[in-house]
Amino acid sequence: MSRTFSIIKPDATKRNITGAINKIIEDNNLMIIAQKRIQLSKEKAEGFYSIHKNKPFFNDLIQYMTSGPVIVQVLHGENAVQVYRKIMGATNPENAENGTIRKLYALNIQENSVHGSDSDENAITEINYFFDDSEIII
Ligand code: ATP
Ligand code: MG
């Protein structure tokens, strides 16, 4: 069993489809063991996506990620990182497989509805960036 970190992004909270996304998560044997709805500050969003700070899309990404509430989550299950990346689908929804969250719900390459950690190591860092141990309940 392992953990991954997830964000349901502002395009999804605005369209009131967080429950639909959570159903896909749960249908794929991932358990939501922590969850909260927050408004990201510019500083918090920049810190989270600091790996992309030299990319041409960085400023737009920060503007988008702070444009409305997000749901931050800790997911638990077998191969949580890999399973969640698979059910999220490709970054660009045009390339995402049928049945994935991004194929079903993403609007475009930026407003792509969900974030998921890309390694176990990053999952731990990202979980700790948003959650205290006492907020994670199995
Ligand atoms: P995430 O890290 O959010 O799970 P990802 O790992 O699939 O997504 P990254 O390459 O890490 O993709 O990009 C982070 C986010 O930046 C994307 O999810 C998307 O919202 C935005 N993004 C990535 N590439 C582009 C692009 N070419 N144009 C606009 N926005 C982009
Ligand atoms: Mg990424």
Side-chain angles (χ1 to χ4, degrees):
M1 291 290 179
S2 59
R3 292 176 178 182
T4 192
F5 174 73
S6 161
I7 305 178
I8 303 181
K9 295 181 177 182
D11 69 273
T13 59
K14 280 178 196 158
R15 286 178 290 153
N16 204 26
I17 55 173
T18 66
I21 291 171
N22 278 347
K23 173 150 173 56
I24 296 174
I25 290 170
E26 293 181 342
D27 284 349
N28 284 276
N29 297 319
L30 293 171
M31 183 176 286
I32 301 162
I33 59 170
Q35 172 168 259
K36 56 192 173 188
R37 180 177 170 100
I38 60 173
Q39 171 65 49
L40 286 177
S41 66
K42 185 166 179 282
E43 294 67 33
K44 191 89 176 172
E46 285 174 347
F48 181 73
Y49 275 128
S50 63
I51 192 168
H52 294 307
K53 65 173 177 293
N54 294 320
K55 302 268 173 67
F57 59 80
F58 183 70
N59 286 342
D60 280 351
L61 175 60
I62 299 308
Q63 177 135 21
Y64 156 60
M65 289 299 290
T66 57
S67 68
V70 298
I71 312 283
V72 291
Q73 305 175 308
V74 181
L75 309 181
H76 165 96
E78 212 166 294
N79 297 320
V81 166
Q82 292 83 344
V83 168
Y84 194 44
R85 292 293 296 192
K86 182 152 180 57
I87 65 174
M88 285 165 55
T91 310
N92 185 343
E94 285 177 21
N95 303 328
E97 281 182 44
N98 284 335
T100 61
I101 294 169
R102 284 168 167 170
K103 184 70 169 194
L104 286 166
Y105 296 119
L107 300 175
N108 51 59
I109 192 171
Q110 177 182 260
E111 297 171 291
N112 60 6
S113 303
V114 283
H115 160 81
S117 308
D118 56 14
S119 69
D120 286 349
E121 190 187 355
N122 285 338
I124 291 166
T125 305
E126 292 174 0
I127 289 167
N128 289 333
Y129 192 68
F130 285 99
F131 289 95
D132 207 73
D133 280 350
S134 65
E135 295 177 297
I136 303 168
I137 321 279
I138 300 186

